[in-house]
Amino acid sequence: MPGLLRRARTESERQRRATEWLRWFSGDSTELSYRRELARVTGLQPQLAWELVQDLAPLLVDRVPATLGVPVLLATSVLVADLPKPTEASWTLLAATLEELEPAHARTVLETLALGWQACSGAIGNEERQRFIRTELQRTIRRLVASDAPGIDALTALLTAFEGDSDRHSGSAILKDT
C-alpha cells in the first residue's frame, strides 16, 4: 500500500494535533502489541493473524493503541469486503479518518468501528456483521455531520463513493439514509 499522504499543516498545527492525538490515543501501539492482540482476538497463530492485516496495520501502528486498533482493522475489513478493491477502500477509509478528522472525532469513528466489531463478534456471517457495523457507523457519521465536525466532509464523500461501488456490486450501502 502507498504511504500515508498527510495534509500540509503549519508547525503550530502539527504541534497542536500531536498534543491532541496523545490526549485521545494513549496506550501500547507497537507492532508487537498489535500482533499479540490480533492473536488474542482472532485465536489464530500470531504470524497468520498479522498476515491478514499487514497491509492496513501500518496506518494504526505507533498511532492508535492495539486494543482499539485491532478491532478497527477487523471491522473495516468486514465493512468494505464487498467493494471491488477492499484493501484500497479500507486504506482510504482509515487514512481519511486519521488525517482529515480532528483527533477527538477520529477517536469517535474508530471507537464506533471497534465497538461495532466487538458487539457483533457472535454474528454468524460477514453480511450480518457488515450490516451491524454499517448501522453503527451511519449513526456516528450523522452525529458528526450534525455537529459540523471539521473534516467530516471528506469522510462522508468517501463513504458515499463506497456506497455507489457497493450498490453496483452487491446491493448494500454504507451511508444509506445519512
Side-chain angles (χ1 to χ4, degrees):
M1 292 279 40
L4 182 59
L5 294 176
R6 295 203 164 124
R7 181 179 359 159
R9 293 186 170 99
T10 66
E11 182 61 30
S12 64
E13 287 175 319
R14 283 193 300 274
Q15 288 176 351
R16 180 199 56 80
R17 190 166 171 85
T19 300
E20 280 292 301
W21 197 266
L22 289 174
R23 177 176 168 220
W24 290 99
F25 294 96
S26 62
D28 191 355
S29 62
T30 63
E31 183 178 317
L32 181 58
S33 66
Y34 269 78
R35 287 175 181 266
R36 285 185 193 141
E37 187 67 11
L38 273 162
R40 185 188 73 74
V41 169
T42 63
L44 299 172
Q45 293 295 322
Q47 186 57 32
L48 179 59
W50 182 253
E51 287 176 16
L52 295 174
V53 299
Q54 70 185 0
D55 289 341
L56 299 175
L59 285 166
L60 303 178
V61 169
D62 295 328
R63 293 187 76 191
V64 175
T67 54
L68 174 59
V70 165
V72 165
L73 290 170
L74 298 172
T76 303
S77 296
V78 167
L79 186 65
V80 300
D82 60 346
L83 295 178
K85 295 182 178 182
T87 302
E88 290 81 356
S90 294
W91 181 272
T92 305
L93 174 62
L94 291 176
T97 300
L98 297 173
E99 290 301 315
E100 295 300 323
L101 298 178
E102 287 296 314
H105 298 134
R107 177 71 187 219
T108 300
V109 171
L110 296 178
E111 285 281 349
T112 298
L113 289 168
L115 292 172
W117 169 259
Q118 292 164 347
C120 70
S121 62
I124 293 176
N126 270 354
E127 189 174 300
E128 185 180 342
R129 282 185 177 138
Q130 186 183 61
R131 191 173 26 257
F132 184 84
I133 293 167
R134 183 183 319 116
T135 299
E136 295 303 309
L137 185 58
Q138 287 169 341
R139 287 182 186 141
T140 297
I141 296 298
R142 280 193 295 268
R143 286 192 310 267
L144 290 172
V145 167
S147 69
D148 201 24
I152 195 65
D153 291 346
L155 192 57
T156 56
L158 175 64
L159 293 175
T160 300
F162 288 174
E163 177 183 309
D165 283 348
S166 183
D167 285 344
R168 283 191 294 275
H169 289 85
S170 73
S172 66
I174 295 173
L175 280 180
K176 186 177 178 183
D177 300 327
T178 299

